[in-house]
Amino acid sequence: MAALIHKILNANEPAPNLMDYRAMRATFSWDIACAEQARLPYDRLNIAFEAVDRWVATGQGEVAALRWLGKNGERQDFSYTELARLSNRFANSLEQLGIGPGDRVCILAGRIPELYITALGTLKAGAVFCPLFSAFGPEPVRVRLVKSQARVLVTTTLLYQRKIREQRNNLPDLEHILLTDSDGSEPGTHSFHTLLETGPDHRSPPRTRPEDWALLHFTSGTTGIPKGAIHVHQAVAAHQLTGRWVLDLRPGDIYWCTADPGWVTGVSYGIIAPFVNGATLVVDEAEFDARRWYAILDRERVNVWYTAPTAIRMLMKAGAEAVQGHDLSALRFMASVGEPLNPEAVTWSLATLGRPFHDTWWQTETGAIMIANYRVLDIRPGSMGQPLPGIEAAIVRRRPGGGVDRLEPGEEGELALRAGWPSMFRSYLDDEERYQQCFADGWYLSGDLAICDIDGYFWFVGRNDDVIKTSGHLIGPFEVENVLMEHPAVAEAGMIGKPDEFAGQIVKAFVALKPSYVPSDALRKELLGFARTRLGPAVAPRELEFIPDLPKTRSGKIMRRLLRARELGLPLGDVSTLEGENPEEPDV
Ligand code: ATP
Ligand code: MG
């Protein structure tokens, strides 16, 4: 196990928002957090109102809410007041189009300012906001538009022409298409900006109630066909609290979330949490580039940064040279989500960036961070951390006849959460049966395997489907991948179980090398030996194959099921979210 990393609390920085984790866990109740939110009369609650209008109401409207960095060097600030007005206009425009409570409004666009206006305006109108990742090809877009029964789609002319126009007749629910850059030449579409200009910028407070549907997010599709998870306005209590306690956000902070709003992280933490906490959200329209990223951290004086293991591994690959000459001293807190965070990445970040990444665990279904490493606590690298105050987490085993048994510390089982937190999903769209299968004895069952140690820290083992059974052992891919990642030649590693006559399954590793290394038989043997000395023969991979890149979802998760299917010659299943699946459709 990598050595403990001590918390960094500098005297010249503000004290952590969450000062005493244990005391807060002992006393916290969601009722208190939810009561804090009720700012509207008649028990009404609205995420967008909490996010922007409340700052206007308390006189902080002139603070920059959104700092947009365009891919061609543009830079534009939107204050809380401006976002409140623009989202009012958009909500009014939706109403003029006859769109109201419960209707689905989808957006298919890159990280452009109109996306943020659409999200907030849709929520104010009481409609359900559903983001679609802009690099999806026409078929995944169609499937999601059909499933969500979207009545409105906001998109760009280019994306419309490439992905929607030809199949519009097959989308009977889709009544209105709003083009953010319309020049009036596309029949059957509206100009987003013309609509915005005609809508008044005042509105009476939203009428949504806490349990009204607010967000529809499709999962990443890492394990199969993506599911549509529904979240309600009450979720904002969890966004605010996790923003405050886990990300340590406070008014005046400059905050950067690198996740695309096409996925849940890019909405919960790339729109809602920073706004409800009064921070300035930095949005970078461009794709990953190590030097650009370091330049943004430096120039924008980013205080809090939330990113993902894939991006961190790419930064590691780019080497320490890329960070040289950049001043990252404004950074107070860095966190990661989406995949297991290799201990190697935590120690690397401390050595190279001066701060450690803090792992956080959650899912589309949980709506907000559930398990985390907090600023006020030391980090055990490789651990996801401890449950948020207000969240009861446990390791359980499903009983064959129904129900679950709680397991002891150190035992491996399914990670479960006591149902009932505000951002818990309320449904899988049109799949009530599947939704019900996620619950047993009052627990939500996550489908992830983990261990809880004697001190209450949770350790990710793998997804239910990715775990390998070999010679009577259960092996989680994460521990094997972590060890290979420690070797200087390895950029990324993915592990699968391969059927074997004697052992049941053997572990096979797929490895992508860092740029200065070339595949060779000698290196393969060296890596197998390296893993064997650290893991022992029972757990270490028996086979190892070099591949240029591991297959990943567009949200950056390694798709081990595809490695498995390719290896075993099985059908690939749903690949709608596979990165690079539509090479003729460049990310636009
Ligand atoms: P699908 O459910 O469609 O297969 P998905 O589970 O990848 O896709 P998301 O909801 O985006 O879709 O991802 C949540 C999953 O990501 C978690 O269940 C877990 O497997 C993984 N994950 C997220 N954060 C972490 C983390 N900190 N450590 C380990 N795994 C993580
Ligand atoms: Mg999932």
Side-chain angles (χ1 to χ4, degrees), residues 11-50:
N12 60 348
E13 290 172 343
N17 287 331
L18 181 63
M19 275 303 283
D20 189 338
Y21 170 76
R22 270 179 209 295
M24 196 52 87
R25 260 192 82 77
T27 55
F28 177 77
S29 106
W30 282 108
D31 293 343
I32 304 169
C34 291
E36 201 183 314
Q37 235 78 51
R39 285 162 213 278
L40 293 172
Y42 310 115
D43 186 32
R44 285 175 183 150
L45 180 73
N46 186 277
I47 295 177
F49 185 88
E50 300 291 327

Side-chain angles (χ1 to χ4, degrees), residues 185-201:
S185 64
E186 276 299 338
T189 63
H190 304 269
S191 156
F192 178 92
H193 284 281
T194 308
L195 275 176
L196 215 58
E197 277 152 31
T198 49
D201 66 7

